[in-house]
């Protein structure tokens, strides 16, 4: 998966662990070649929120992390004021997917699911078909009744 380089930003921040940053290495090399200002922030940084909130406008954020951690970092960035246009994030590893049960409203997490696949709700054991309807509020796809 090729991550695009976004030109014309004041500063670039790369957030990830050593293994995850390999995905962003071509972008890091491009930024170094153009002698643009950048910083690399480790994922284990406990001061990530303070660091991001101290950045000036025009800073662009690249995130490479395991899926759950990627989502947490995105939420942190959004709460500070970053928009989707000011960051690119890449999920690493198997992708967990949440499914919202239409009966009990429980959320079942599965790995690498696809739309129209059938699963069993982990709460009420109803057989569900995964819909392409996604709720960012619940961070889940709708699971509706597979068989009546």
């Amino acid at each position: 998966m090729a991550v695009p380089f976004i030109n014309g930003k004041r500063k670039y921040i790369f957030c990830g662990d050593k293994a995850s940053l390999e995905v962003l290495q071509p972008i890091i090399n491009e930024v170094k070649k153009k002698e643009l200002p950048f910083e690399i922030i480790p994922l284990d940084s406990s001061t990530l929120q303070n660091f991001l909130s101290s950045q000036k406008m025009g800073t662009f954020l690249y995130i490479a992390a395991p899926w759950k951690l990627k989502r947490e970092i995105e939420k942190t960035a959004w709460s500070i004021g970053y928009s989707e246009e000011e960051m690119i994030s890449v999920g690493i590893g198997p992708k967990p997917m949440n499914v919202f049960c239409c009966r009990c409203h429980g959320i079942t997490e599965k790995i690498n699911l696809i739309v129209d696949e059938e699963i069993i709700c982990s709460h009420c054991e109803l057989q569900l078909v995964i819909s392409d309807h996604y709720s960012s509020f619940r961070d889940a796809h709708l699971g509706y009744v597979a068989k009546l």
Side-chain angles (χ1 to χ4, degrees), residues 47-67:
T47 59
L48 181 63
Q49 183 168 359
N50 290 337
F51 175 78
L52 291 177
S53 61
S54 69
Q55 299 304 306
K56 296 181 180 178
M57 288 182 68
T59 300
F60 195 85
L61 177 60
Y62 282 96
I63 303 166
W67 288 95

Side-chain angles (χ1 to χ4, degrees), residues 4 9 16 25 39 52 77 81 83 88 91 93 101 109 115 133 142-143:
K9 301 300 177 181
Q25 196 58 52
E39 287 190 57
L52 291 177
S83 68
I88 291 178
C101 179
E109 182 182 289
V115 172
H133 292 83
L142 173 64

Side-chain angles (χ1 to χ4, degrees), residues 12-142:
Y12 296 88
I13 297 175
F14 299 96
C15 185
D17 60 15
K18 190 173 184 175
S20 300
L21 284 173
E22 288 180 21
V23 173
L24 299 177
Q25 196 58 52
I27 305 297
I28 295 170
N29 293 341
E30 181 78 17
V31 168
K32 286 180 179 178
K33 185 173 89 175
K34 293 184 176 191
E35 299 180 358
L36 300 169
F38 74 96
E39 287 190 57
I40 297 175
I41 306 301
L43 288 177
D44 60 357
S45 175
S46 59
T47 59
L48 181 63
Q49 183 168 359
N50 290 337
F51 175 78
L52 291 177
S53 61
S54 69
Q55 299 304 306
K56 296 181 180 178
M57 288 182 68
T59 300
F60 195 85
L61 177 60
Y62 282 96
I63 303 166
W67 288 95
K68 282 187 176 183
L69 188 53
K70 168 189 151 324
R71 186 78 172 145
E72 289 175 29
I73 295 169
E74 287 172 337
K75 286 180 181 179
T76 299
W78 289 327
S79 72
I80 292 168
Y82 282 82
S83 68
E84 289 188 20
E85 292 79 24
E86 296 169 314
M87 71 174 101
I88 291 178
S89 58
V90 179
I92 306 295
K95 182 179 181 181
M97 183 178 192
N98 293 327
V99 179
F100 179 77
C101 179
C102 65
R103 177 198 278 169
C104 73
H105 300 177
I107 297 203
T108 302
E109 182 182 289
K110 297 289 184 178
I111 303 293
N112 293 332
L113 292 175
I114 55 174
V115 172
D116 292 332
E117 186 173 339
E118 293 185 9
I119 67 163
I120 302 295
C121 175
S122 61
H123 303 277
C124 69
E125 299 183 356
L126 180 67
Q127 190 169 358
L128 302 170
V129 174
I130 301 169
S131 166
D132 62 349
H133 292 83
Y134 176 77
S135 166
S136 58
F137 177 74
R138 298 196 186 279
D139 186 25
H141 286 263
L142 173 64

